[in-house]
Amino acid sequence: MLRRGFQVAGRLSQHRVLPGVPQVLPRLILTSTFGSSTDSLVSRFCLEKTGLKDYALPNASWCPDMLSLYHELQEKTKTDGWVKLPSFKSNRDHIQGLKLPLGLAVPSDERDWRIFTRCIQVEGQGYEYVIFFHPSKKKSICLFQPGPYLEGAPGFAHGGSLAAMMDETFSKTAYLAGQGLLTVSLSIRFKHLIPVGSLAVLNVDVEKIEDQKVYMSCIAQSRDQQTVYAKCSGKEVLSLSPSPRLCPATITHRTNGRKNAEDAVPSRDPAS
């Protein structure tokens, strides 16, 4: 009876969180779904003729700096290997066919699913951004223009909006460069405030890929590179393992204000 009880608990822990027990993320290997090459991932991400609205296209709210730099990068897509990433309202539209493990799967319904950075629909009021990715260099450039709905200090963008934009750029870069999926850690040092309606250029580099993680760094700065808004480092999970010894991350659950589990990954600077 005792053995059967452990077997049942083991099966339940794979599908949902037991009270007071940290959830171990189930294994996810994207190569079995999409193929292992960066080019394959990029081609599947940048779907053509979808009929979906691409929110990463110029509109009347874009400031002159953002518009001109966008056209410069568009020219580089023709000559220098850069790829302009489309941005649909949900990641479900980008990665159709990806089958998440049962522990992470959410049933689809008729709700209006939206990625966080596309939740404000009015042009120019929230997140205006476009990401360009270089497959062989494994780096990205994100042009980000915060709108007035993202205000923190009067006239300036909230630091959280820049953090979200960095995380989103990390996510897309990690997915395309190394099949990364979930953010394990994010460390940001803010330097200067971003004026609402102005351009911040986010330069993201993949520092290394090891131990099932993609290590990245980011510098957010003005177009002329004279003002650094923030520097950020982070890492994303490549694949997820059911074994606690191999699992790169666990989900932290709180009960009565106390942590039941800590991140299984030791703190380290991805740029080191």
Side-chain angles (χ1 to χ4, degrees):
M1 177 65 72
L2 184 60
R3 174 184 294 180
R4 178 172 179 79
F6 281 126
Q7 291 174 341
V8 171
R11 289 196 297 269
L12 288 174
S13 66
Q14 295 177 8
H15 301 294
R16 59 182 180 272
V17 180
L18 296 176
V21 177
Q23 181 185 13
V24 178
L25 298 177
R27 185 169 183 78
L28 172 62
I29 300 180
L30 297 177
T31 55
S32 62
T33 305
F34 287 150
S36 59
S37 73
T38 300
D39 289 340
S40 175
L41 289 168
V42 170
S43 64
R44 289 178 178 273
F45 188 88
C46 300
L47 302 174
E48 297 181 0
K49 300 180 180 179
T50 61
L52 300 169
K53 179 178 178 179
D54 182 0
Y55 289 87
L57 294 174
N59 62 59
S61 73
W62 285 20
C63 66
D65 276 347
M66 183 163 176
L67 192 59
S68 63
L69 190 51
Y70 169 85
H71 288 304
E72 286 183 20
L73 290 169
Q74 273 289 74
E75 287 300 314
K76 290 186 177 182
T77 65
K78 304 173 185 177
T79 60
D80 195 31
W82 287 88
V83 178
K84 182 259 175 190
L85 303 182
S87 180
F88 306 131
K89 73 174 184 178
S90 171
N91 279 329
R92 296 163 182 260
D93 299 322
H94 283 289
I95 54 178
Q96 296 177 20
L98 172 64
K99 297 185 182 301
L100 293 173
L102 185 58
L104 295 178
V106 176
S108 298
D109 55 27
E110 298 301 322
R111 286 184 292 179
D112 184 17
W113 299 98
R114 287 182 179 272
I115 188 171
F116 176 72
T117 49
R118 294 300 181 193
C119 64
I120 300 175
Q121 301 182 50
V122 183
E123 291 182 351
Q125 298 302 299
Y127 291 89
E128 291 292 340
Y129 68 93
V130 57
I131 299 173
F132 289 84
F133 175 70
H134 199 294
S136 62
K137 295 180 180 179
K138 288 184 169 52
K139 64 187 303 179
S140 294
I141 296 176
C142 173
L143 309 182
F144 170 46
Q145 178 183 303
Y149 288 6
L150 304 183
E151 186 182 67
F156 295 92
H158 193 290
S161 66
L162 177 58
M165 199 67 260
M166 287 178 159
D167 189 25
E168 171 64 8
T169 308
F170 273 0
S171 176
K172 295 297 187 290
T173 304
Y175 176 77
L176 296 174
Q179 302 176 59
L181 183 65
L182 303 174
T183 302
V184 176
S185 67
L186 202 65
S187 176
I188 303 175
R189 182 178 294 275
F190 295 98
K191 301 286 189 178
H192 291 89
L193 297 174
I194 305 174
V196 166
S198 66
L199 172 66
V201 181
L202 281 59
N203 293 280
V204 171
D205 290 283
V206 173
E207 302 292 340
K208 59 183 177 179
I209 301 177
E210 67 177 27
D211 299 330
Q212 294 186 307
K213 302 176 194 73
V214 183
Y215 293 82
M216 292 171 289
S217 63
C218 174
I219 296 179
Q221 55 193 350
S222 58
R223 180 179 179 177
D224 61 10
Q225 302 182 3
Q226 297 303 303
T227 303
V228 175
Y229 297 122
K231 294 183 177 181
C232 178
S233 61
K235 51 193 170 190
E236 306 244 349
V237 179
L238 267 78
S239 60
L240 308 174
S241 168
S243 169
R245 291 188 302 106
L246 299 177
C247 182
T250 56
I251 296 178
T252 300
H253 298 277
R254 294 180 181 272
T255 302
N256 297 327
R258 294 188 303 171
K259 289 185 178 180
N260 292 325
E262 296 293 340
D263 189 345
V265 181
S267 175
R268 74 192 274 190
D269 185 349
S272 62

